[in-house]
Amino acid sequence: MLERGEVANSWRRERWDSLRLLTPNWLSRLPGHEYAGSDPDDYMTMGEVVEFVERYATVTRAPVQTGTNVTSVRRTDDGYHVTTSRGEISCRTVVIASGACNQPSVPQFADAVPASVRQVTPFDYRGPGQLPDGGVLVVGASATGVQLAAELRRSGRPVTLSVGEHVRLPRLYRGRDVLWWMDASGVWDQRHDEVEDLTRARRLPSPQLVGTPERSTLDLNALTAMGVELVGRWAAVRDGCALFSGGLRNVFSLADLKMRRLLDTFDAWAAGRDADVDPPERFAPTQVPEKSRWQLDLRSGEIRTIIWATGYRPDYRWLHVPVIDPKGHLRHEGGTVDSPGLYALGLPVLRRRRSTFIHGIEDDAHEVITHLTQHLAAKS
Amino acid sequence: MTKGTLRDMTTIDNGVNVQALLDAREALKGAPEAAQFTWRASSKWQNGVHSTTRVQHFFGLGQEQSHKSEAVFTADHPEVFAAEDNGITPIEYLLVGLASCLTAGVASVAQNRGIQLRSVESTVEGHHDIRGILGADSDVRNGFNDIKVTFTIDADASQEDIEALVAQSQKRSAVFDALTNPTNVSVEVA
């Protein structure tokens, strides 16, 4: 098991200080390794995640070779040749577990942003103290975007949030964590070959959730109440001005409709059961700002910092096997890559919707490793 | 001839009543409410992707107004889209709007600048990657990737003045603005 840095490296180095997991503690489990503390409904801080993963590595005696960066993987006649920062390895199979979030994904027009505005990605961001005073434009309304917008607004800065298609969720529904519903109702069990639009499901932005001890909802209405200004999807930069889409109302409607449909699914599931939940509830539609700006002069000094919460992409520059699609994603069928003996784990909706989350690894790993051992047995 | 010169105003005629426009500009400076216009169109689905849109009434200068007659526009999709081709596609109507708006601008600006036009022709090309509307690739936008307009103008003016005409017509064009800048669009179900 090769790790470029330390165990739980990206949780240590590529996350901001205030981040907590989106999944409650009782759901943040690894095979045979569950949360044992006194707050099952709370959310782990990054420090706690690092401890949790480290403990798992120790308990399972995982053969982790830390400080070993893989620089190249090539096919050979009977397997793969792996070059690392600490030597060469020949092997019959390779499991790629480097994840989907290796690099922040930033739109091309970032190059056209005036130099007077500081640009920060979630990989560089640690906390508000590191940013200059003054206005912040947060781009993207996934979990990252809404969390950073809220944190920066609380630091006293004027915050503008550029909102494209997003996934709205309440933190609690009928008295239960919304992810309890995803788990219990079977939504997360939907398999990759049952998902209607798998490409879309795999690219879906993370839901507007935050893990806080108060278990509060952080949707766009919560941000509006805090004084965050909402603008449409950022489409282009022209003459130093950011231009935003005028379709804000529609992305709100889409997210509201999808959330309602999901809550209907939960209600239908709960109707025939003796579930310990409160009565059904519905949430107010996303409030449309009276006036939303469609352009913002980036040279005026109003915006001092831009935070690109525009998603992440994987980095397969080291993988010299022709299994990458034109968008830079790995071509695989439920974790089986189209090259004998090559496998993947830990990608969004790898085998089922649950795969995107920490506890989704258990079933995925069983199934992928079953295929891997059959592959080895067939060849020997 | 330089920009803004009115010396030939009396002798040139592009058929644009510039004086009325200049008077309106002055009058509306002090009456912004009267300058608020609402343009309307009513559309009805026919069958398949074929629809009919009617335009006659609008609001402006503080009251209901009307075109002399109703105009009816048929939109459909071509046979290569497996449609019946009863009319041009909706996105082609944007090209109609852009070409006619810029052309009106060229004539008005020329009149105002004392430039006699003999002919103004233009071609408009909108480049469109239809993978967007088909949902084949979510990175491809639904609308035009870019639009190219080419004017051929015969007028009593230098090439430079003609270029200045075309530039000014873009600067004051409603459709050019609507296509190049975002607009808040709300779509509701009645």
Side-chain angles (χ1 to χ4, degrees), chain A residues 173-203:
Chain A
Y173 181 61
R174 299 176 65 177
R176 292 283 203 157
D177 195 292
V178 73
L179 300 185
W180 175 86
W181 287 97
M182 297 292 260
D183 186 54
S185 69
V187 170
W188 272 350
D189 293 324
Q190 195 181 24
R191 288 172 49 93
H192 71 285
D193 46 12
E194 297 166 350
V195 174
E196 202 179 317
D197 187 345
L198 185 59
T199 309
R200 188 187 142 75
R202 285 182 171 161
R203 289 180 52 135

Side-chain angles (χ1 to χ4, degrees), chain A residues 273-346:
Chain A
R273 284 175 180 78
D274 189 20
D276 179 18
V277 293
D278 297 340
E281 51 186 325
R282 284 297 174 265
F283 303 94
T286 304
Q287 216 178 302
V288 182
E290 236 165 76
K291 232 181 169 168
S292 63
R293 290 196 277 181
W294 57 266
Q295 75 170 332
L296 209 164
D297 190 348
L298 297 171
R299 299 158 304 188
S300 70
E302 180 188 343
I303 299 297
R304 301 290 308 280
T305 311
I306 291 168
I307 308 234
W308 296 109
T310 35
Y312 306 91
R313 53 196 163 85
D315 181 359
Y316 293 117
R317 281 174 296 186
W318 46 270
L319 183 58
H320 301 294
V321 183
V323 289
I324 307 299
D325 72 17
K327 303 263 167 159
H329 294 277
L330 193 65
R331 279 189 283 124
H332 68 91
E333 181 68 36
T336 305
V337 181
D338 186 24
S339 176
L342 194 57
Y343 297 91
L345 279 172

Side-chain angles (χ1 to χ4, degrees), chain A residues 328-375:
Chain A
H329 294 277
L330 193 65
R331 279 189 283 124
H332 68 91
E333 181 68 36
T336 305
V337 181
D338 186 24
S339 176
L342 194 57
Y343 297 91
L345 279 172
L347 293 175
V349 201
L350 182 97
R351 293 190 66 82
R352 42 183 70 76
R353 287 195 186 270
R354 187 183 300 285
S355 305
T356 309
F357 299 84
I358 287 177
H359 70 289
I361 194 67
E362 181 158 12
D363 291 342
D364 288 358
H366 275 304
E367 290 164 18
V368 167
I369 299 310
T370 299
H371 193 290
L372 184 148
T373 48
Q374 283 166 356
H375 167 77

Side-chain angles (χ1 to χ4, degrees), chain B residues 22-86:
Chain B
L22 293 175
D23 291 348
R25 179 163 81 181
E26 280 314 303
L28 292 176
K29 270 184 189 170
E33 3 26 275
Q36 307 310 310
F37 275 63
T38 302
W39 303 105
R40 302 193 190 103
S42 322
S43 189
K44 193 171 169 33
W45 173 59
Q46 299 299 327
N47 184 45
V49 293
H50 172 201
S51 67
T52 309
T53 303
R54 294 168 182 276
V55 178
Q56 183 167 24
H57 305 290
F58 58 97
F59 181 90
L61 304 177
Q63 58 184 341
E64 284 299 320
Q65 307 276 357
S66 188
H67 286 288
K68 272 193 278 187
S69 59
E70 182 185 64
V72 182
F73 301 92
T74 301
D76 202 344
H77 285 74
E79 287 179 348
V80 290
F81 280 51
E84 289 180 356
D85 207 4
N86 291 295

Side-chain angles (χ1 to χ4, degrees), chain A residues 92 120 128 213 220 231 297 380:
Chain A
R92 297 195 33 212
V120 177
L220 296 176
V231 295
D297 190 348
S380 52

Side-chain angles (χ1 to χ4, degrees), chain A residues 95-123:
Chain A
V95 180
I96 300 168
S98 50
C101 305
N102 307 126
Q103 294 168 302
S105 176
V106 171
Q108 199 107 65
F109 58 74
D111 296 344
V113 170
S116 56
V117 178
R118 184 154 159 206
Q119 301 185 50
V120 177
T121 71
F123 272 27

